Amino acid sequence: MKSEVPSPAGPLGRNQHGQGGISATGLARSFGRVHAVENIDFRAAPGEVTALIGPNGSGKTTLLLMLASLLRPDSGSITVAGMDPVANSSGVRAVLGWMPDTLGVWESLTGREILTTMAALYGMDKKSAAQRAAELLKLVSLGDLADTPARVFSRGQAQRLSLARALINDPSVLLLDEPASGLDPGARVQLRTMVRQLADSGKTVVISSHVLAELDEMADAAVFISKGRTVRSQTLAEAGEQTRGYTIGTLDITALRETLQARGIEASYVQDFDSARGSAKTRLATEAEAAALLAALVAAGVPVTAFAPSSGLLEETYLSLEEGAS
Amino acid sequence: MSAPVMQHPSSTPTLGYAAGIGTIFTLEIRQRVRSSGWYIMLGIWFVVIAAVVGLAALSVGVDGFGAGQMMFELVVAFVLLFGMLIAPALSSNSITGDRANGTLAILQNTLLTPWQLLIGKWLAAWVASLGFLVVTIPLIAWAMTYGDVYLPGVPVLVGMLALELAIVCAIGVGVSALANKTLFAVLISYLLVALLGLGTLIGFGLSMKLVQVEVKASEQFWSEQNLNGDSSVAWDDNAYSCGTALYPQTIFATERNTWLLAANPFVIVADAAPRPLPKPGDDSFTTVGPMGAISQGVRLSQAGQLASTPCINGIKNTEVKPEEATPLWPLGLGLQLLLAGSLLVAGRRKLHTPAGKMASGTRIA
Ligand SMILES: Nc1ncnc2c1ncn2[C@@H]1O[C@H](COP(=O)(O)OP(=O)(O)OP(=O)(O)O)[C@@H](O)[C@H]1O
Ligand SMILES: [Mg+2]
């Protein structure tokens, strides 16, 4: 994937009608006796990347299907780019890009044919469809494989094609269901850059993923769901303000312990068997507090080798929610 | 968020009705022409039917009578038979296949409507099954060279054949839209086609018991010149009279149950085709070939066995004017269209998104 995306008139940023975003309230949907979604409130603003986070089976895919106008909610209301997906599904579909978590490809068709077919299904004429397909294939680094049958694509390649497919109609609302699974590290970085650029060009981007560290880097807000319910909605700025766990590595655990205890900081310590090395885990309320502590440790002559948050921002919230639940 | 509703610029994309159908049609056909199995099947098919027609040409051609008609009708009958066997397979995985592949939801998420999807898939399956008719064109041309093919029947037979294939494909696509598993869809479409092809025959056979009637028959008396010495007679409607000694005879009033055969594809195709009028004074079999035989058989059955019992109640049956046989095929075609149509309508409802109730154990994606 090319990380440099021509903007705003390039492949990612043509449509600027991003106003509206997504808002859903009180959503519920069950399949027979399974309550996949019980009560979800969800909001995603244009120009932002909204992460959708939750354990397996918590209802993320079901929520995205409802937002994508494929599944009718049992109750609750949805607005996507100002339209109701149940009442005006074609209106929503025209401005929506959906990347499912299952990879659907027509195996005997080439990547280019798949993209031009999809373009045709959005009412694009042949010429602009071909042009758009070529642009997107280049964007997701499938230029070389453009005319190979999709049957031979690797999982990651199919995933990239699926992303290109979701972008074919230059959607103003983009729903990505675990887009990074199967991608190599390089492609993940490119995906992040691309998602960021899409959001920056005014699109509403919703992304579900289990790789929270990655979401830290691209998301502006996060919605946590569990067992079909929204358990937390927060912006990343808010996540940054919460108490976080820090891990401090040192060459001299005794010195570290003394300094921390002198400052009245509670921590748990782990020491190496055969040396004075070790580490301490503690919780700090703010980043300012962390900076102050580090400065103090260094000033006290404690040989600090590492000083970092134990987990990512979103992971912190995720874990605290799990603790709260159990 | 208090953004005003619907503020999109004029460039909201639209998808023309025919364009959507055309795109799906192309998508399907592209996939089919790329599978080598398809060509192998066509090849085998051509060899088999060429052999059958060739043999027919050899055996019928000996006395030089009706070889062309025989060959042509054999082609029609075989294409119909093979179409019944192939078309359900061609059409019944068209939507379940996409469902299993995860591509159906992708199509549904575009501007495509369910009807466009169904019609596109149906047209593609139909055109693919017409391929089996198209490869037999050289054989039909060969039959034509004999010069005895009854020409008015040709377009009707071929047209009805194509129509029957279209109906079977519609059944297959409809079932495919309704079913969740390809295997199940294939099975159900085959059962439905078997219901039409064989079920009608079985129903007809079983109903014989119900149309058994007892009539009073009597002997025929023949004039001397018609008697052949042995117990056979040279048949002539005008040369016998009926005895007055009545005896009971059990016959089948098939005029009452022949309609059960109406929805049989072979009956529809054969019955719709015009037949050469029998030459006056010659009421020998005017038909050669399977389709002619079916047509004639159905007409006889429609007339009922009573019509072929020479003496009823002491009166010659030629004096009782037989009812004009009404063509059976409109009824059959109507029934088939009803079946195919309702399957398609039900399939359309199943394809509706946003999906309401879903069959248990299925996911959209
Ligand atoms: N069509 C369906 N029929 C029955 N149950 C379903 C259906 N779709 C989803 N479910 C159930 O609903 C729940 C939520 O499923 P969903 O796919 O939304 O989870 P998810 O959050 O996307 O999980 P994952 O992280 O594994 O992708 C699960 O318990 C699942 O078994
Ligand atoms: Mg999921």
Side-chain angles (χ1 to χ4, degrees), chain A residues 17 19-20 29 61 68-72 82-83 85 90 93 98 104 106 108-109 113 118 120-123 165, chain B residues 1 5-8 13-15 27 31 34 101 103 106-111 353-356 358 363-365:
Chain A
H17 47 80
Q19 76 271 54
R29 170 75 208 204
T61 299
S69 83
L70 288 172
L71 200 59
R72 200 182 61 210
M83 292 169 281
S90 62
R93 284 169 197 170
W98 173 60
W106 291 269
S108 54
L109 265 57
E113 285 168 341
M118 292 310 291
L121 291 177
Y122 282 104
R165 198 192 43 67
Chain B
M1 218 160 299
V5 173
M6 275 301 287
Q7 279 263 307
H8 291 299
T14 48
L15 172 66
L27 178 66
Q31 296 181 73
R34 283 184 197 168
N101 247 349
T103 44
I106 291 174
L107 292 178
Q108 286 177 310
N109 202 237
T110 65
L111 300 182
T353 44
M358 286 177 55
R363 278 182 80 103
I364 290 180

Side-chain angles (χ1 to χ4, degrees), chain B residues 271 299 302 325-331:
Chain B
D271 194 50
R299 291 277 156 90
Q302 268 184 303
T326 49
L328 205 52
W329 64 270
L331 171 65

Side-chain angles (χ1 to χ4, degrees), chain A residues 161-322:
Chain A
L161 183 63
S162 178
L163 178 65
R165 198 192 43 67
L167 291 170
I168 194 81
N169 58 335
D170 192 17
S172 64
V173 174
L174 196 58
L175 307 176
L176 307 174
D177 202 349
E178 301 188 28
S181 67
L183 294 187
D184 61 50
R188 279 167 187 258
V189 174
Q190 283 161 345
L191 175 72
R192 283 211 291 275
T193 324
M194 201 190 295
V195 165
R196 225 20 281 173
Q197 276 167 340
L198 287 164
D200 292 343
S201 73
K203 297 177 192 303
T204 311
V205 183
V206 178
I207 178 166
S208 104
S209 172
H210 294 296
V211 188
L212 302 184
E214 240 168 44
L215 292 175
D216 274 354
E217 285 181 43
M218 60 177 146
D220 300 294
V223 174
F224 292 85
I225 64 174
S226 171
K227 297 184 184 124
R229 295 171 178 277
T230 310
V231 286
R232 184 75 152 272
S233 296
Q234 66 177 182
T235 63
L236 254 78
E238 285 164 2
E241 283 162 11
Q242 65 202 355
T243 355
R244 299 186 72 184
Y246 280 79
T247 307
I248 308 163
T250 180
L251 296 176
D252 182 353
I253 190 80
T254 326
L256 178 63
R257 189 196 305 256
E258 277 164 8
T259 318
L260 286 180
Q261 279 169 352
R263 291 177 68 92
I265 295 173
E266 267 183 46
S268 60
Y269 300 92
V270 182
Q271 189 179 352
D272 276 12
F273 267 133
D274 49 357
S275 70
R277 285 163 176 270
S279 66
K281 277 188 192 299
T282 182
R283 294 193 74 80
L284 299 171
T286 62
E287 288 183 321
E289 198 178 309
L293 176 61
L294 178 58
L297 288 175
V298 173
V302 180
V304 176
T305 57
F307 190 104
S310 316
S311 56
L313 287 172
L314 293 169
E315 197 177 350
E316 192 73 46
T317 313
Y318 187 87
L319 294 174
S320 73
L321 288 173
E322 279 210 325

Side-chain angles (χ1 to χ4, degrees), chain A residues 31-32 34-37 54-63 101 177-178 208 210 225, chain B residues 358-365:
Chain A
F31 301 100
V34 184
H35 298 287
V37 166
N56 290 139
S58 53
K60 300 182 295 298
T61 299
T62 309
L63 170 62
D101 59 348
D177 202 349
E178 301 188 28
S208 104
H210 294 296
I225 64 174
Chain B
M358 286 177 55
S360 67
T362 57
R363 278 182 80 103
I364 290 180

Side-chain angles (χ1 to χ4, degrees), chain B residues 214-221 241-250 306 309-317:
Chain B
E214 205 152 272
V215 292
K216 301 271 182 251
S218 62
E219 271 181 289
Q220 309 130 42
F221 296 112
S241 56
C242 292
T244 46
L246 302 182
Y247 57 88
Q249 187 181 345
T250 305
L306 203 58
T309 311
C311 289
I312 300 292
N313 297 329
I315 321 174
K316 284 168 70 171
N317 75 349

